[in-house]
mmCIF file of all heavy atoms in Angstrom:
data_model
loop_
_atom_site.group_PDB
_atom_site.id
_atom_site.type_symbol
_atom_site.label_atom_id
_atom_site.label_comp_id
_atom_site.label_asym_id
_atom_site.label_seq_id
_atom_site.Cartn_x
_atom_site.Cartn_y
_atom_site.Cartn_z
ATOM 1 N N GLY A 57 5.908 -15.001 -0.822
ATOM 2 C CA GLY A 57 6.134 -15.970 0.242
ATOM 3 C C GLY A 57 5.214 -15.821 1.443
ATOM 4 O O GLY A 57 5.344 -16.545 2.420
ATOM 5 N N ARG A 58 4.277 -14.888 1.378
ATOM 6 C CA ARG A 58 3.328 -14.692 2.481
ATOM 7 C C ARG A 58 1.941 -15.118 2.052
ATOM 8 O O ARG A 58 1.611 -15.086 0.868
ATOM 9 C CB ARG A 58 3.270 -13.214 2.876
ATOM 10 C CG ARG A 58 4.501 -12.700 3.528
ATOM 11 C CD ARG A 58 4.231 -11.290 4.054
ATOM 12 N NE ARG A 58 5.275 -10.874 4.951
ATOM 13 C CZ ARG A 58 6.188 -9.966 4.656
ATOM 14 N NH1 ARG A 58 6.162 -9.359 3.502
ATOM 15 N NH2 ARG A 58 7.107 -9.648 5.532
ATOM 16 N N LYS A 59 1.127 -15.444 2.999
ATOM 17 C CA LYS A 59 -0.280 -15.723 2.720
ATOM 18 C C LYS A 59 -0.972 -14.385 2.469
ATOM 19 O O LYS A 59 -1.015 -13.525 3.349
ATOM 20 C CB LYS A 59 -0.915 -16.442 3.901
ATOM 21 C CG LYS A 59 -2.304 -16.909 3.622
ATOM 22 C CD LYS A 59 -2.843 -17.724 4.773
ATOM 23 C CE LYS A 59 -4.248 -18.184 4.450
ATOM 24 N NZ LYS A 59 -4.802 -19.004 5.498
ATOM 25 N N ALA A 60 -1.450 -14.191 1.275
ATOM 26 C CA ALA A 60 -1.936 -12.875 0.858
ATOM 27 C C ALA A 60 -3.424 -12.644 1.121
ATOM 28 O O ALA A 60 -3.878 -11.516 1.106
ATOM 29 C CB ALA A 60 -1.655 -12.674 -0.631
ATOM 30 N N GLU A 61 -4.175 -13.705 1.360
ATOM 31 C CA GLU A 61 -5.619 -13.535 1.516
ATOM 32 C C GLU A 61 -5.951 -12.576 2.656
ATOM 33 O O GLU A 61 -5.399 -12.664 3.732
ATOM 34 C CB GLU A 61 -6.266 -14.888 1.807
ATOM 35 C CG GLU A 61 -6.191 -15.854 0.663
ATOM 36 C CD GLU A 61 -6.781 -17.191 1.040
ATOM 37 O OE1 GLU A 61 -7.387 -17.310 2.111
ATOM 38 O OE2 GLU A 61 -6.612 -18.112 0.249
ATOM 39 N N HIS A 62 -6.844 -11.685 2.388
ATOM 40 C CA HIS A 62 -7.397 -10.768 3.374
ATOM 41 C C HIS A 62 -6.372 -9.815 4.001
ATOM 42 O O HIS A 62 -6.633 -9.261 5.048
ATOM 43 C CB HIS A 62 -8.124 -11.543 4.476
ATOM 44 C CG HIS A 62 -9.114 -12.528 3.960
ATOM 45 N ND1 HIS A 62 -10.252 -12.143 3.291
ATOM 46 C CD2 HIS A 62 -9.126 -13.879 3.989
ATOM 47 C CE1 HIS A 62 -10.937 -13.221 2.941
ATOM 48 N NE2 HIS A 62 -10.274 -14.285 3.341
ATOM 49 N N SER A 63 -5.248 -9.641 3.376
ATOM 50 C CA SER A 63 -4.289 -8.677 3.921
ATOM 51 C C SER A 63 -4.588 -7.299 3.339
ATOM 52 O O SER A 63 -5.074 -7.180 2.218
ATOM 53 C CB SER A 63 -2.853 -9.094 3.608
ATOM 54 O OG SER A 63 -2.434 -8.589 2.375
ATOM 55 N N PRO A 64 -4.296 -6.247 4.098
ATOM 56 C CA PRO A 64 -4.539 -4.897 3.577
ATOM 57 C C PRO A 64 -3.734 -4.617 2.308
ATOM 58 O O PRO A 64 -4.190 -3.896 1.428
ATOM 59 C CB PRO A 64 -4.096 -3.975 4.707
ATOM 60 C CG PRO A 64 -3.894 -4.824 5.906
ATOM 61 C CD PRO A 64 -3.797 -6.239 5.461
ATOM 62 N N ILE A 65 -2.560 -5.209 2.201
ATOM 63 C CA ILE A 65 -1.729 -4.990 1.016
ATOM 64 C C ILE A 65 -2.344 -5.676 -0.194
ATOM 65 O O ILE A 65 -2.331 -5.132 -1.299
ATOM 66 C CB ILE A 65 -0.280 -5.444 1.269
ATOM 67 C CG1 ILE A 65 0.334 -4.622 2.396
ATOM 68 C CG2 ILE A 65 0.555 -5.342 0.002
ATOM 69 C CD1 ILE A 65 0.298 -3.121 2.196
ATOM 70 N N SER A 66 -2.920 -6.855 -0.012
ATOM 71 C CA SER A 66 -3.619 -7.526 -1.113
ATOM 72 C C SER A 66 -4.767 -6.671 -1.621
ATOM 73 O O SER A 66 -4.994 -6.563 -2.818
ATOM 74 C CB SER A 66 -4.187 -8.869 -0.663
ATOM 75 O OG SER A 66 -3.197 -9.753 -0.348
ATOM 76 N N TYR A 67 -5.482 -6.076 -0.676
ATOM 77 C CA TYR A 67 -6.600 -5.214 -1.033
ATOM 78 C C TYR A 67 -6.120 -4.010 -1.850
ATOM 79 O O TYR A 67 -6.697 -3.691 -2.896
ATOM 80 C CB TYR A 67 -7.324 -4.750 0.233
ATOM 81 C CG TYR A 67 -8.390 -3.741 -0.030
ATOM 82 C CD1 TYR A 67 -9.624 -4.116 -0.548
ATOM 83 C CD2 TYR A 67 -8.168 -2.393 0.228
ATOM 84 C CE1 TYR A 67 -10.604 -3.175 -0.804
ATOM 85 C CE2 TYR A 67 -9.144 -1.446 -0.017
ATOM 86 C CZ TYR A 67 -10.360 -1.842 -0.534
ATOM 87 O OH TYR A 67 -11.329 -0.912 -0.793
ATOM 88 N N LEU A 68 -5.056 -3.358 -1.399
ATOM 89 C CA LEU A 68 -4.538 -2.199 -2.137
ATOM 90 C C LEU A 68 -4.015 -2.616 -3.500
ATOM 91 O O LEU A 68 -4.143 -1.877 -4.475
ATOM 92 C CB LEU A 68 -3.439 -1.498 -1.339
ATOM 93 C CG LEU A 68 -3.891 -0.824 -0.052
ATOM 94 C CD1 LEU A 68 -2.704 -0.173 0.643
ATOM 95 C CD2 LEU A 68 -4.982 0.192 -0.308
ATOM 96 N N ARG A 69 -3.426 -3.803 -3.571
ATOM 97 C CA ARG A 69 -2.941 -4.319 -4.855
ATOM 98 C C ARG A 69 -4.110 -4.497 -5.830
ATOM 99 O O ARG A 69 -4.044 -4.065 -6.976
ATOM 100 C CB ARG A 69 -2.214 -5.643 -4.642
ATOM 101 C CG ARG A 69 -1.602 -6.190 -5.886
ATOM 102 C CD ARG A 69 -0.937 -7.547 -5.628
ATOM 103 N NE ARG A 69 -0.320 -8.019 -6.842
ATOM 104 C CZ ARG A 69 -0.991 -8.519 -7.870
ATOM 105 N NH1 ARG A 69 -2.301 -8.621 -7.824
ATOM 106 N NH2 ARG A 69 -0.349 -8.904 -8.955
ATOM 107 N N LEU A 70 -5.198 -5.104 -5.354
ATOM 108 C CA LEU A 70 -6.374 -5.289 -6.213
ATOM 109 C C LEU A 70 -6.984 -3.956 -6.625
ATOM 110 O O LEU A 70 -7.355 -3.763 -7.787
ATOM 111 C CB LEU A 70 -7.422 -6.136 -5.496
ATOM 112 C CG LEU A 70 -7.113 -7.615 -5.379
ATOM 113 C CD1 LEU A 70 -8.167 -8.302 -4.518
ATOM 114 C CD2 LEU A 70 -7.017 -8.271 -6.742
ATOM 115 N N ARG A 71 -7.085 -3.029 -5.691
ATOM 116 C CA ARG A 71 -7.631 -1.709 -6.011
ATOM 117 C C ARG A 71 -6.760 -0.998 -7.051
ATOM 118 O O ARG A 71 -7.281 -0.312 -7.928
ATOM 119 C CB ARG A 71 -7.749 -0.847 -4.746
ATOM 120 C CG ARG A 71 -8.706 -1.365 -3.707
ATOM 121 C CD ARG A 71 -10.146 -1.322 -4.116
ATOM 122 N NE ARG A 71 -10.512 0.031 -4.502
ATOM 123 C CZ ARG A 71 -11.537 0.328 -5.296
ATOM 124 N NH1 ARG A 71 -12.302 -0.613 -5.768
ATOM 125 N NH2 ARG A 71 -11.803 1.573 -5.612
ATOM 126 N N SER A 72 -5.454 -1.159 -6.946
ATOM 127 C CA SER A 72 -4.553 -0.535 -7.921
ATOM 128 C C SER A 72 -4.731 -1.159 -9.297
ATOM 129 O O SER A 72 -4.731 -0.448 -10.305
ATOM 130 C CB SER A 72 -3.097 -0.664 -7.455
ATOM 131 O OG SER A 72 -2.878 0.177 -6.347
ATOM 132 N N LEU A 73 -4.883 -2.469 -9.344
ATOM 133 C CA LEU A 73 -5.137 -3.120 -10.632
ATOM 134 C C LEU A 73 -6.425 -2.587 -11.262
ATOM 135 O O LEU A 73 -6.474 -2.330 -12.466
ATOM 136 C CB LEU A 73 -5.230 -4.637 -10.463
ATOM 137 C CG LEU A 73 -3.927 -5.375 -10.224
ATOM 138 C CD1 LEU A 73 -4.193 -6.817 -9.811
ATOM 139 C CD2 LEU A 73 -3.026 -5.320 -11.453
ATOM 140 N N ILE A 74 -7.440 -2.399 -10.447
ATOM 141 C CA ILE A 74 -8.708 -1.867 -10.951
ATOM 142 C C ILE A 74 -8.522 -0.442 -11.459
ATOM 143 O O ILE A 74 -8.988 -0.093 -12.545
ATOM 144 C CB ILE A 74 -9.796 -1.938 -9.864
ATOM 145 C CG1 ILE A 74 -10.165 -3.404 -9.606
ATOM 146 C CG2 ILE A 74 -11.023 -1.119 -10.245
ATOM 147 C CD1 ILE A 74 -10.983 -3.635 -8.357
ATOM 148 N N ARG A 75 -7.825 0.378 -10.698
ATOM 149 C CA ARG A 75 -7.597 1.765 -11.123
ATOM 150 C C ARG A 75 -6.804 1.835 -12.421
ATOM 151 O O ARG A 75 -6.972 2.756 -13.209
ATOM 152 C CB ARG A 75 -6.862 2.541 -10.033
ATOM 153 C CG ARG A 75 -7.660 2.687 -8.761
ATOM 154 C CD ARG A 75 -8.111 4.101 -8.569
ATOM 155 N NE ARG A 75 -8.967 4.216 -7.425
ATOM 156 C CZ ARG A 75 -8.746 5.019 -6.407
ATOM 157 N NH1 ARG A 75 -7.673 5.772 -6.384
ATOM 158 N NH2 ARG A 75 -9.599 5.081 -5.415
ATOM 159 N N LEU A 76 -5.915 0.854 -12.625
ATOM 160 C CA LEU A 76 -5.123 0.804 -13.855
ATOM 161 C C LEU A 76 -5.867 0.090 -14.991
ATOM 162 O O LEU A 76 -5.332 -0.065 -16.076
ATOM 163 C CB LEU A 76 -3.785 0.103 -13.591
ATOM 164 C CG LEU A 76 -2.833 0.856 -12.663
ATOM 165 C CD1 LEU A 76 -1.681 -0.055 -12.247
ATOM 166 C CD2 LEU A 76 -2.304 2.112 -13.338
ATOM 167 N N LYS A 77 -7.096 -0.347 -14.695
ATOM 168 C CA LYS A 77 -7.949 -1.042 -15.665
ATOM 169 C C LYS A 77 -7.312 -2.335 -16.170
ATOM 170 O O LYS A 77 -7.457 -2.710 -17.331
ATOM 171 C CB LYS A 77 -8.330 -0.125 -16.825
ATOM 172 C CG LYS A 77 -9.093 1.086 -16.342
ATOM 173 C CD LYS A 77 -9.479 1.998 -17.465
ATOM 174 C CE LYS A 77 -10.009 3.233 -16.861
ATOM 175 N NZ LYS A 77 -11.140 3.827 -17.110
#
Side-chain angles (χ1 to χ4, degrees):
R58 291 188 167 108
K59 187 175 180 178
E61 293 177 9
H62 309 294
S63 88
I65 298 305
S66 294
Y67 174 77
L68 293 180
R69 184 182 182 285
L70 286 174
R71 296 292 304 157
S72 289
L73 286 169
I74 291 167
R75 296 251 175 123
L76 293 168
K77 300 180 189 232

